[in-house]
Amino acid sequence: MTDTHHLFSTYSCCAGNLKVKIADGTLSPVAGKWSIRISESITLNPVLHVPNLSCNLLSITQLTKKSNCSTKFLPSHCVFHDLSSGKMINSAKEHEGLYYLDKTDDSELLLWHKRMGHPSFQYLRHLFPSLCSNKASWDFQCEVCELAKHHQASFPKSKYKPSISFTLIHSDLWGSSCTPNRTHKKWFITFIDDHARLCWVYLLTDKTKVQSIFMNFHSMIQTQFHTKIQILCTDNGTEYFNHS
Ligand SMILES: [Zn+2]
């Protein structure tokens, strides 16, 4: 809700006598409603235009639901992050007990940042003090810089279904190492139980031993644990396919 008409990017007058109850208990008429664009990523809709209001009111639940974002309130500021990309989409500075949304336009500073080959914010502040006034380093975000500093993308969400011990065994073969170990083995094979994450490692002199090692492992599960392997999951390496 706001009392400021010129903030609206789209606007329509409210017919009838729609009223809202404000803090002092009185009813205030709603003059109009529609949308306000507060940043590149956030458009508030619907916003009520209430001329008798003495300050702007922002509903955090409306904002987080409609813009699919999270908010984090810190002593000096608060930040809004897009839930799907994790990108910071807006921020607000604390001043005398209230958080003030940052509506400054970053486009010119970002343009210079790109032109100059993505220098740090400290360097930009030194070069363009007027564009960086009233700005903290956490205010300034460049997507390219953030992605370029990532070492790896996050793992996709796993559709893991809990298993029972030994129903699913993951296996892989590694080698050959250019340096053999003391017993002249250059390969190793792993069997990992999906449920317990227990891992068995066997050393091999060459790939042809995979068959006998697997048969031993298979017998060991049957005799020691009185159960059977139901699924053997591999990368379809040829070492797992043979007549036996
Ligand atoms: Zn950058």
Side-chain angles (χ1 to χ4, degrees), residues 113-114 118-119 140 142-146:
H113 170 74
K114 287 175 182 171
H118 298 263
F140 182 76
C142 165
E143 200 175 359
V144 175
C145 282
E146 290 198 6

Side-chain angles (χ1 to χ4, degrees), residues 27 31 111 113 116 128 145 165 181 183 186 198 207 233 238:
L27 292 170
L111 182 66
H113 170 74
M116 301 187 70
F128 308 102
C145 282
S165 281
N181 79 344
T183 55
K186 287 184 160 190
L198 274 173
K207 271 174 137 183
C233 183
T238 50

